[in-house]
Amino acid sequence: MDLTDNVSCKRTELEGCRPGDDGQDVALGNLAGALYDRFQAEGNVDDVDEAITLHRAALELRPPGHPERSLSLYGLSLCFLSRYDSRGVVMDLEEAVTFGRAGLELCPPDHRDRGLFLNNVAFGLCKRFTEQTTMCDLDEAFDLHRAALELHPSGHPDQSSSLHGLALCFSSRYDNQGVVADLEEAITLGRAALDLRPPGHPSRGVSLSNIALYLGKRFGEQAAMCDLNKAFELQRAALELHPSGHPQRSLSLYGLALCFSGRYENRGVVADLEEAITLGRAALDLRPPGHPSRGVSLSNLALYLWERFREQAAMCDLNEAFELQRAALELHPSGHPQRSFSLHGLALCFSSRYDNQGVVADLEEAVTRGRAALELRPPGHPDRGVSLNNLAVDLGKRFQEQAVMSDLDEAIELHRAALELRPSGHPQRSSSLHGLASCFSSRYDNQGVVADLEEAVTLGRAALELCPPGRPERGASLNNLAVDLMKRFRKQAAMCDLDEAFELHRAGLELYPSGHPWRFWSLLGLSICYLSRYDSQGVVADLEEAVMLGHVAVELCPPRHSRRARCLYHLSCAVWTTFQRQALMPRSGGARFVHRVTLALRPINNVHAAFSFHALSLHLWDKFRKQSAIAYLDDAICLATYALELRLSKRHSASASVEKLALFISERAQRVVPEASPNDSVMLGRAVDSLCALGHYLKDRFRNHHAIVDLNKAISLHRYVLQLCPAGHASHPSNLHYLALCLIERFHDTAAVSDLDEAISLEQTALELSTPGDPSYDVSKDCLATCFQMKISPQVSRVSSIRSVATEYEVSQVIQRVIFETLETMPVRLLHTQTGTLCDRDAQISHFVNGPQYKQLLSSALSYDPVERVCRIHTVVSTCFRFVMFSHRWGEGEPSLRDIQGRVIYDMPPNGGVKKLQKFCLTTFKRGYLWAWSDTCCIDKTSSAELQEAIGSMFGWYRRSHLTIVYLADVPESGSFDSSQWFERGWTLQELLAPASVLFYSRNWSLYQNTECSNHKTDGAVLDALARATGIASRFLTDFTPGMDDARSRLQWASSRRTTRPEDIAYSLFGIFNLHLPVLYGESAEFALGRLLAEVVSQSGDISILDWLGEASTFHSCFPARITSYRTLPLPVPPPDAAEQSSIASQQSASSNAVRKLCRSLNKLPLPRFVNRRLTLPCFSHRVTTVRQKSADPLSPTYTYEIQASGLRPLEITLPEQLEHAASLPCGLENVAGALQLVRPWHSKSLSGTAKLDAAATEQLLVTLRRPFSALLLTELPHNEYKRIASSILIAAQPIDLASILQRKVRIFNIV
């Protein structure tokens, strides 16, 4: 019996029991059990809530001493345990244990169900141990499961439950204590349980998932790929048993994500990491707030994103990882066993942000969180080694920053402790060896003990041997060993060390391709090698290579990166060596040149590096003044900028650097003449940008540290900038505003009215130079108003003045966040139409940040009110990132991602699809858009994860596009698109409906019908033509909402379309129905369409999709095999005439009680549901009483039958084949008739959404039920199941009269 039918049956039995009847407690328990079974299959918590209420009522009827009291206690315990699994409320877990113990006490040793009670309490205790880590709970769970196992010998149906529970206990103890023998025992017992749960067993999926998790843990211990491969196999098998809607699906998705993450860590294939992120997100979506495993999913997804950040340096990944880890930490309060996991993850995020931005506060947070995580992972904890290692790494970084030896000593101690926990063969041993090598190398740098350097080299080699090609950390091991060999070369001058360092750095560079965040580190290492070889052998080419690579490394290292100062230092060494060589050459420039270079001693630290850059920039200035070679001046500006950056970063006096840099830039500005090359203007622009950036940096530092000297330097810098960019320069108004902001800051600090007056004057000038409507105009106007307010009310000026004027860093962070939010809703890859290059997210951000819009936005947003600031930033960013989508029919030679990656499409030969792509990009650019997307080349179709995400997001991308360009290759310039093949393709349906703005282009790339408009959806003539060509009403074309309203019509729109891959016809409708389903290429088109229709029914209960004609699907008999079955329009129902309405009204009054009863029963009906390939469908049923075959024409391949069914007028159907079962019956069709039902599916929407029993509602209902309807013919199968037959013809049925309708009962059919 179907679960829902079982519930209905048990509910009927309970309703038949009056209070006080002897069997009432049994009926209560039976209904509770039926609800619990349905909850286990479908996950509806309302069922378990009602089951708890019923069990409580039964318990009251079974006082102490009652023989069945233990059953009620057991049922209550099961329900509370299940509700805890669903909602995560600890009180439910406590109730489960309490009721379980009470039930167990009533089951003596010889009780037949004692084993069930023992297992039940043990499961509750094991879950409580996971929640609270109280070892006594786990110990007791062990005892109870073992006792149950003794009562469940081989062959007992419940033995698998005891084995499964024991496996969970061993796994939990391994998680707590790290004893590998416990993990082995868990695997053994889990396998034994699985053997007792063959295919079809309701708990097989859970066993598959759990064994896979155990094997994944063992892979983490031993790195045996056979374990990981088996885990993959088991998790995939479990996922097949846990389809969409199954309460255990999240467990399988979570486990599969772990498998992909483990394989990424072992092999370094980024596609595995992408899969882990995709599956992790899917698992998290199925674990809403309140789910007991939500915190673990949050933490794991955060770790996957953190790993991707390390690969790709996309700040959006790190920012999201922060958010997820913080959310997880809130779910893991003090005492929670998973708290250490969240703390550890947060420490990783802070450490990575320190690496990227160089903010020491982040490093301090990383150390603090790392210590807190380590304290929660005592000796024996399986993750203690990871915490030891990571805390040691962060302490090593802090030593590099602050040179406190206690940090380094502790780091060495922690690394050694971690190494003891990672013996030979442990997959993480290389990480500890690598960390120890770094510590010894740092101690050598600090103390100069050669033995430390030898130890670093030895440990580095050992770490590298354990990092074979493919491991993500191999690049770091290569570079670090190379660095230590370089140190030994400088100490011992053994050329073999230098040669090996070259080889290692080059190998590292191959692992860090263009765009990799750590590429600069390999380049810097190679630069040092070349410089060392020059020092040893004097080959000038080595020196030139060292300088060139050093400059590239500095350019690739972000400005705030923790390693940038080191890059600058090593570059200063290379540059100093170059100048020294020139000073010693004959005719090098005289005694003054030699004096300058010898004055700048070879740098030995960052202070010396700054001094060296400054001195050498002065020498270049001298050479420029003598020879007037612009190259010398450009080099002087570059070195002076580096000097200023180093001095500011260490808070050293920078006045001389500021003055000299301003002098150099001023001279450079005078050299830029209209006839000069573009490079001259670019160089000056960069120099001015450097001064502005330094001014902003000093102002921000003043806000943080309140040192007035910083603000005074910032004011001086901005004054220099104004001199370099006088009136008439495009940036002059913004520069006036920058200086005004600094003066306002100083007015706050010193109350000098002259500063406020000058700020007012500057903003007034800026307003005169700006155009109303420009963002800069509004900014200056607001700032000027604030200044006047401060002058009028000086007492409140300090409080209310310009709080809205945020620091530049704060505004840049807001802009960055808005950029990430904007890009999250856009395609990952876009074509940059101005340059013709394909750009990923980082490249898109780079184009914006390095463009004029960013600088203008940064300056204009500084003084906005915080709320207005965010709104304006959103406006500007969304405008800059407007993108155009391409819709077309694929042809020959379409370029793929691999074809255009790294190339300029405008430079490619205009063949086939390339020419079409070039025209699309050019058209987009001409219309004023910088970004464009084409499905041919902007998706990596070799990545299943990316393809899945793209298909799931594509409707949204077209919806959010500013314009969609449709190219009709088969429509001539003056032709009509009525017959274009574009209207016959499956994917183009969503490309037509989703976007708000569409333009059609004909074969020669002229606008369709030569209509000059910005949106063809607003052109009445084009819109009418579209409606004719598609059969879609114009209101849907202009204002389409994705979802499941009027699902039948949406399917009809797609019914005449086709796709190259048959299953794509279903996938192309996912966005139209607003569904997110897995894309499973290789499945049959029937199954793809079946999954789509099943989800529509499951989510909406819409029965209109059952109205089709054609061959039935093997997926389900109520679904068609092909979407073409929806071409036939539904049965037309004419409106009732006056006579019919009058007749109904009179009959209604005569049968008012029966009508009201019918309305009430219809309102109580459940919605149609589709679960486990079974459709639960409320229907008006009409049992077929007679089936008579009419005499057949031997020449006609059809069969005609006369059918009579209770409550219906006789009808006749003609089929292309014999009625099912008829061919096997020699004597008439009486038996066939008894197995058939003609049904009218019912949905509460048929009542027009009203449950009010007024005259109008009941009249509307009766009119509907009196009219002809499209009936389904069902045949009965065993086990009270039915199947639809005769789906190839329309069966138009009509009730006999109102009385026959009122006599009908609505049944719930289970259709397969």
Side-chain angles (χ1 to χ4, degrees):
M1 182 183 292
D2 175 73
L3 292 172
T4 299
D5 277 354
N6 190 32
V7 170
S8 300
C9 178
K10 302 304 180 188
R11 200 180 294 282
T12 302
E13 291 176 6
L14 180 61
E15 290 172 354
C17 292
R18 292 175 296 178
D21 284 357
D22 289 341
Q24 188 182 15
D25 61 326
V26 176
L28 287 164
N30 287 346
L31 177 55
L35 288 164
Y36 176 78
D37 290 341
R38 190 168 71 179
F39 165 76
Q40 289 289 82
E42 300 172 11
N44 186 346
V45 184
D46 291 342
D47 283 342
V48 80
D49 288 341
E50 186 180 359
I52 289 173
T53 302
L54 294 166
H55 275 308
R56 287 192 189 278
L59 190 64
E60 291 180 4
L61 298 174
R62 293 170 174 175
H66 194 286
E68 302 297 332
R69 181 174 174 82
S70 63
L71 289 180
S72 293
L73 292 166
Y74 175 75
L76 272 170
S77 179
L78 279 180
C79 290
F80 277 115
L81 201 57
S82 296
R83 194 166 71 178
Y84 164 75
D85 289 339
S86 179
R87 290 177 174 167
V89 179
V90 179
M91 186 56 67
D92 283 340
L93 186 56
E94 297 294 342
E95 290 276 25
V97 173
T98 300
F99 282 114
R101 287 193 194 283
L104 182 59
E105 290 174 1
L106 298 177
C107 290
D110 58 346
H111 195 286
R112 70 178 187 278
D113 292 326
R114 181 171 174 82
L116 289 176
F117 284 79
L118 287 165
N119 277 332
N120 179 49
V121 178
F123 279 122
L125 291 168
C126 190
K127 290 179 187 291
R128 192 166 72 180
F129 168 77
T130 304
E131 188 77 40
Q132 302 172 1
T133 61
T134 305
M135 277 305 298
C136 60
D137 280 341
L138 186 59
D139 293 339
E140 186 180 358
F142 266 112
D143 292 340
L144 294 172
H145 275 310
R146 283 172 174 145
L149 194 60
E150 292 179 3
L151 297 174
H152 296 157
S154 179
H156 194 285
D158 292 319
Q159 187 184 37
S160 68
S161 181
S162 299
L163 291 167
H164 176 76
L166 265 177
L168 286 174
C169 289
F170 276 109
S171 176
S172 296
R173 193 163 71 183
Y174 162 76
D175 291 340
N176 184 263
Q177 299 179 358
V179 179
V180 178
D182 283 337
L183 184 56
E184 296 292 345
E185 195 69 26
I187 293 172
T188 301
L189 292 166
R191 289 190 194 279
L194 182 61
D195 290 342
L196 298 175
R197 293 174 169 179
H201 193 285
S203 298
R204 180 173 175 82
V206 176
S207 282
L208 288 165
S209 284
N210 279 17
I211 299 172
L213 290 174
Y214 307 154
L215 290 169
K217 293 176 185 178
R218 190 166 72 179
F219 171 76
E221 284 279 354
Q222 302 172 3
M225 280 304 298
C226 57
D227 281 339
L228 186 58
N229 292 336
K230 187 64 176 177
F232 265 112
E233 178 187 336
L234 295 172
Q235 290 290 12
R236 284 174 172 142
L239 195 61
E240 290 181 6
L241 297 176
H242 297 156
S244 179
H246 194 285
Q248 294 295 333
R249 184 170 176 81
S250 69
L251 178 64
S252 300
L253 291 168
Y254 170 81
L256 257 183
L258 286 176
C259 290
F260 277 108
S261 175
R263 193 163 71 183
Y264 161 75
E265 291 172 3
N266 185 267
R267 296 179 176 175
V269 179
V270 179
D272 284 336
L273 184 58
E274 298 290 347
E275 287 282 1
I277 292 172
T278 300
L279 292 166
R281 288 195 193 282
L284 183 61
D285 290 342
L286 296 177
R287 292 174 169 180
H291 194 286
S293 299
R294 181 172 174 81
V296 176
S297 281
L298 287 165
S299 287
N300 274 25
L301 178 56
L303 285 176
Y304 307 153
L305 291 165
W306 171 77
E307 290 279 10
R308 190 166 70 179
F309 168 77
R310 294 207 306 171
E311 281 280 350
Q312 303 172 0
M315 279 302 297
C316 55
D317 282 339
L318 186 60
N319 292 336
E320 186 179 359
F322 263 112
E323 291 179 14
L324 294 171
Q325 289 290 13
R326 284 174 172 140
L329 195 62
E330 291 180 4
L331 297 176
H332 298 155
S334 180
H336 194 284
Q338 294 295 331
R339 184 170 176 82
S340 68
F341 194 42
S342 301
L343 288 167
H344 173 76
L346 265 179
L348 291 175
C349 291
F350 277 113
S351 183
S352 293
R353 193 164 69 183
Y354 163 75
D355 291 339
N356 186 267
Q357 300 180 357
V359 179
V360 179
D362 283 336
L363 184 57
E364 296 293 343
E365 282 284 352
V367 171
T368 301
R369 307 277 180 164
R371 285 196 194 283
L374 182 60
E375 290 174 2
L376 297 175
R377 293 174 170 179
H381 194 287
D383 294 320
R384 182 171 174 82
V386 177
S387 284
L388 287 166
N389 190 77
N390 282 20
L391 178 56
V393 169
D394 290 334
L395 288 168
K397 293 177 184 178
R398 193 165 73 178
F399 170 76
Q400 293 289 340
E401 186 77 38
Q402 302 172 0
V404 178
M405 277 305 299
S406 59
D407 281 341
L408 187 59
D409 293 339
E410 186 181 0
I412 292 174
E413 180 184 342
L414 293 171
H415 274 309
R416 283 177 170 148
L419 197 61
E420 291 179 5
L421 297 175
R422 297 169 169 179
S424 180
H426 193 284
Q428 297 297 327
R429 183 173 176 82
S430 63
S431 180
S432 295
L433 290 167
H434 176 80
L436 257 181
S438 296
C439 288
F440 279 113
S441 182
S442 295
R443 194 162 73 181
Y444 165 75
D445 293 339
N446 186 268
Q447 299 179 356
V449 179
V450 177
D452 283 337
L453 182 57
E454 295 294 340
E455 190 72 20
V457 171
T458 301
L459 291 167
R461 288 194 193 283
L464 184 59
E465 289 175 3
L466 296 176
C467 292
R471 287 287 291 270
E473 63 269 26
R474 181 173 174 83
S477 289
L478 287 165
N479 284 329
N480 282 19
L481 178 56
V483 168
D484 292 335
L485 288 168
M486 272 303 311
K487 294 176 183 177
R488 193 166 72 178
F489 168 75
R490 287 198 293 268
K491 187 72 175 177
Q492 302 173 359
M495 282 302 297
C496 59
D497 282 340
L498 181 59
D499 292 340
E500 186 179 359
F502 263 112
E503 182 182 340
L504 293 171
H505 274 310
R506 284 173 178 142
L509 194 63
E510 291 180 5
L511 297 177
Y512 294 152
S514 179
H516 195 284
W518 286 99
R519 182 174 174 82
F520 78 89
W521 197 236
S522 293
L523 291 167
L524 179 63
L526 275 173
S527 173
I528 296 170
C529 288
Y530 277 111
L531 182 60
S532 297
R533 193 162 71 182
Y534 168 78
D535 290 340
S536 174
Q537 300 178 356
V539 179
V540 177
D542 284 340
L543 180 58
E544 292 172 348
E545 194 73 15
V547 174
M548 185 272 293
L549 291 172
H551 274 294
V552 175
V554 169
E555 290 177 6
L556 292 179
C557 186
R560 297 176 183 265
H561 199 284
S562 60
R563 306 288 177 95
R564 183 168 171 84
R566 198 174 304 181
C567 290
L568 288 170
Y569 162 69
H570 286 294
L571 176 60
S572 73
C573 294
V575 172
W576 178 88
T577 303
T578 302
F579 278 86
Q580 184 191 48
R581 173 182 168 276
Q582 295 172 359
L584 297 176
M585 290 175 62
R587 295 189 295 256
S588 61
R592 185 175 181 186
F593 180 28
V594 176
H595 173 70
R596 275 212 190 276
V597 176
T598 54
L599 185 64
L601 300 175
R602 180 166 187 147
I604 59 173
N605 55 38
N606 288 344
V607 177
H608 290 180
F611 180 76
S612 177
F613 277 135
H614 180 71
L616 296 176
S617 71
L618 293 178
H619 161 65
L620 288 167
W621 169 250
D622 288 343
K623 294 191 74 171
F624 162 72
R625 294 179 66 189
K626 289 179 181 178
Q627 302 179 24
S628 297
I630 291 294
Y632 290 139
L633 181 56
D634 289 343
D635 289 343
I637 291 172
C638 179
L639 296 185
T641 302
Y642 291 157
L644 188 56
E645 181 180 344
L646 285 171
R647 284 177 168 170
L648 289 172
S649 66
K650 296 299 180 183
R651 297 186 60 80
H652 295 140
S653 175
S655 300
S657 294
V658 169
E659 292 172 3
K660 291 300 180 184
L661 180 57
L663 174 64
F664 301 163
I665 294 175
S666 177
E667 183 67 29
R668 192 66 175 80
Q670 297 176 21
R671 299 285 170 161
V672 178
V673 294
E675 297 80 17
S677 68
N679 289 336
D680 290 342
S681 298
V682 171
M683 185 62 206
L684 177 62
R686 288 179 179 173
V688 172
D689 289 344
S690 297
L691 278 181
C692 283
L694 290 169
H696 298 326
Y697 169 78
L698 287 165
K699 181 167 69 71
D700 290 347
R701 194 165 78 175
F702 164 75
R703 286 197 160 191
N704 293 327
H705 301 287
H706 306 290
I708 193 66
V709 64
D710 286 336
L711 187 56
N712 291 335
K713 289 177 185 176
I715 291 172
S716 298
L717 281 173
H718 285 301
R719 292 195 193 281
Y720 285 129
V721 170
L722 281 177
Q723 294 173 16
L724 297 172
C725 303
H729 195 279
S731 64
H732 190 66
S734 297
N735 294 328
L736 290 166
H737 176 65
Y738 291 148
L739 178 55
L741 290 177
C742 291
L743 291 167
I744 292 170
E745 289 283 356
R746 193 163 69 179
F747 169 73
H748 283 318
D749 194 74
T750 64
V753 178
S754 58
D755 284 337
L756 183 59
D757 289 339
E758 185 179 0
I760 291 173
S761 175
L762 291 168
E763 293 292 12
Q764 287 172 332
T765 305
L767 276 177
E768 293 172 0
L769 297 174
S770 302
T771 304
D774 289 345
S776 59
Y777 181 89
D778 295 335
V779 170
S780 291
K781 183 183 70 174
D782 293 344
C783 193
L784 181 60
T786 302
C787 291
F788 283 136
Q789 180 64 34
M790 286 189 285
K791 197 161 188 177
I792 295 170
S793 307
Q795 290 80 12
V796 298
S797 65
R798 288 177 177 269
V799 178
S800 62
S801 62
I802 205 154
R803 276 187 186 167
S804 60
V805 182
T807 66
E808 183 170 325
Y809 174 75
E810 292 168 344
V811 172
S812 68
Q813 291 298 297
V814 175
I815 295 175
Q816 187 181 63
R817 177 172 58 80
V818 173
I819 290 174
F820 291 144
E821 290 174 356
T822 302
L823 293 184
E824 277 296 312
T825 64
M826 292 168 52
V828 176
R829 295 183 186 84
L830 289 170
L831 291 158
H832 190 240
T833 59
Q834 184 173 326
T835 60
T837 55
L838 183 67
C839 297
D840 60 11
R841 285 267 166 85
D842 288 342
Q844 294 163 30
I845 294 172
S846 179
H847 273 291
F848 176 68
V849 170
N850 295 324
Q853 302 101 323
Y854 178 79
K855 298 184 181 73
Q856 186 178 19
L857 177 61
L858 191 62
S859 65
S860 63
L862 283 168
S863 62
Y864 281 134
D865 174 86
V867 176
E868 185 183 6
R869 180 183 302 125
V870 174
C871 293
R872 287 180 183 262
I873 288 173
H874 269 288
T875 300
V876 173
V877 170
S878 60
T879 300
C880 291
F881 283 105
R882 294 181 307 170
F883 62 97
V884 176
M885 299 288 284
F886 191 32
S887 178
H888 62 114
R889 189 189 173 204
W890 280 45
E892 295 294 329
E894 297 288 356
S896 68
L897 173 70
R898 299 288 177 262
D899 294 329
I900 72 166
Q901 207 162 29
R903 303 177 68 182
V904 177
I905 60 171
Y906 298 132
D907 295 340
M908 296 173 66
N911 302 322
V914 173
K915 182 178 181 180
K916 178 171 57 175
L917 184 65
Q918 292 169 335
K919 287 284 192 180
F920 163 60
C921 288
L922 182 58
T923 303
T924 301
F925 180 64
K926 286 180 177 179
R927 299 197 75 88
Y929 300 99
L930 286 178
W931 302 107
W933 185 90
S934 172
D935 56 353
T936 57
C937 58
C938 293
I939 305 174
D940 184 1
K941 298 178 181 66
T942 63
S943 168
S944 60
E946 183 170 333
L947 189 59
Q948 167 92 33
E949 185 174 354
I951 289 176
S953 306
M954 208 173 293
F955 185 92
W957 293 344
Y958 277 96
R959 170 72 92 191
R960 287 185 285 271
S961 68
H962 202 263
L963 172 67
T964 292
I965 287 179
V966 178
Y967 177 61
L968 305 175
D970 53 356
V971 175
E973 181 177 0
S974 58
S976 170
F977 58 31
D978 289 353
S979 59
S980 174
Q981 292 184 355
W982 185 84
F983 293 99
E984 300 172 5
R985 308 305 298 173
W987 287 105
T988 57
L989 178 59
Q990 71 171 359
E991 295 163 14
L992 172 66
L993 294 172
S997 182
V998 175
L999 284 176
F1000 291 90
Y1001 283 82
S1002 57
R1003 181 187 303 155
N1004 66 349
W1005 283 93
S1006 61
L1007 275 172
Y1008 176 67
Q1009 299 286 345
N1010 293 313
T1011 54
E1012 286 299 330
C1013 71
S1014 59
N1015 182 7
H1016 277 140
K1017 285 193 175 185
T1018 61
D1019 186 305
V1022 175
L1023 199 58
D1024 290 343
L1026 278 175
R1028 289 193 303 272
T1030 61
I1032 302 173
S1034 58
R1035 70 177 187 276
F1036 294 115
L1037 295 172
T1038 57
D1039 187 20
F1040 178 76
T1041 302
M1044 298 176 204
D1045 291 343
D1046 200 9
R1048 177 63 172 74
S1049 294
R1050 297 171 192 230
L1051 293 165
Q1052 185 183 335
W1053 298 339
S1055 62
S1056 297
R1057 295 173 179 260
R1058 60 186 184 276
T1059 54
T1060 303
R1061 299 188 70 152
E1063 59 268 45
D1064 269 340
I1065 195 65
Y1067 303 158
S1068 68
L1069 297 174
F1070 285 1
I1072 288 175
F1073 284 102
N1074 196 24
L1075 291 174
H1076 299 279
L1077 296 172
V1079 175
L1080 306 173
Y1081 278 116
E1083 70 174 332
S1084 68
E1086 285 187 40
F1087 271 56
L1089 181 60
R1091 288 195 298 117
L1092 170 71
L1093 298 176
E1095 198 68 19
V1096 172
V1097 173
S1098 298
Q1099 292 195 25
S1100 69
D1102 191 341
I1103 57 174
S1104 69
I1105 65 172
L1106 306 181
D1107 195 352
W1108 51 270
L1109 299 180
E1111 180 187 352
S1113 170
T1114 56
F1115 183 87
H1116 194 276
S1117 65
C1118 281
F1119 296 160
R1122 286 170 289 278
I1123 202 167
T1124 53
S1125 296
Y1126 286 105
R1127 287 180 186 172
T1128 306
L1129 293 174
L1131 179 69
V1133 179
D1137 54 28
E1140 182 180 10
Q1141 286 182 320
S1142 175
S1143 171
I1144 289 174
S1146 61
Q1147 294 178 54
Q1148 176 184 342
S1149 59
S1151 311
S1152 57
N1153 291 334
V1155 170
R1156 282 196 295 272
K1157 184 178 179 182
L1158 175 62
C1159 288
R1160 283 195 296 269
S1161 65
L1162 292 178
N1163 272 319
K1164 291 179 181 179
L1165 285 175
L1167 293 177
R1169 290 180 300 114
F1170 193 95
V1171 179
N1172 295 330
R1173 303 274 291 277
R1174 178 183 295 160
L1175 176 63
T1176 303
L1177 187 65
C1179 298
F1180 281 91
S1181 64
H1182 303 271
R1183 187 175 63 84
V1184 175
T1185 57
T1186 303
V1187 177
R1188 181 178 296 107
Q1189 183 178 348
K1190 297 180 69 174
S1191 57
D1193 182 353
L1195 300 178
S1196 174
T1198 59
Y1199 301 85
T1200 302
Y1201 298 93
E1202 295 176 346
I1203 296 178
Q1204 291 187 0
S1206 58
L1208 295 179
R1209 297 177 183 177
L1211 55 91
E1212 188 176 286
I1213 61 173
T1214 300
L1215 300 173
E1217 68 280 327
Q1218 276 192 294
L1219 197 61
E1220 192 165 329
H1221 304 308
S1224 61
L1225 295 174
C1227 303
L1229 296 167
E1230 291 81 2
N1231 291 334
V1232 174
L1236 299 180
Q1237 296 273 352
L1238 278 170
V1239 300
R1240 166 186 268 181
W1242 186 260
H1243 187 291
S1244 58
K1245 287 183 179 178
S1246 304
L1247 287 172
S1248 300
T1250 178
K1252 187 178 179 182
L1253 298 178
D1254 55 16
T1258 52
E1259 181 178 334
Q1260 176 193 355
L1261 171 64
L1262 295 178
V1263 167
T1264 301
L1265 295 178
R1266 279 284 302 270
R1267 307 304 296 165
F1269 64 93
S1270 180
L1272 306 184
L1273 183 59
L1274 305 182
T1275 182
E1276 189 171 7
L1277 304 176
H1279 311 299
N1280 197 31
E1281 293 180 338
Y1282 288 82
K1283 183 178 81 169
R1284 182 181 178 182
I1285 59 174
S1287 59
S1288 60
I1289 52 114
L1290 174 65
I1291 303 177
Q1294 185 169 10
I1296 298 172
D1297 52 24
L1298 181 60
S1300 67
I1301 295 172
L1302 297 178
Q1303 291 169 7
R1304 293 298 97 207
K1305 286 188 177 180
V1306 180
R1307 287 185 54 189
I1308 310 295
F1309 286 89
N1310 297 313
I1311 309 174
V1312 296

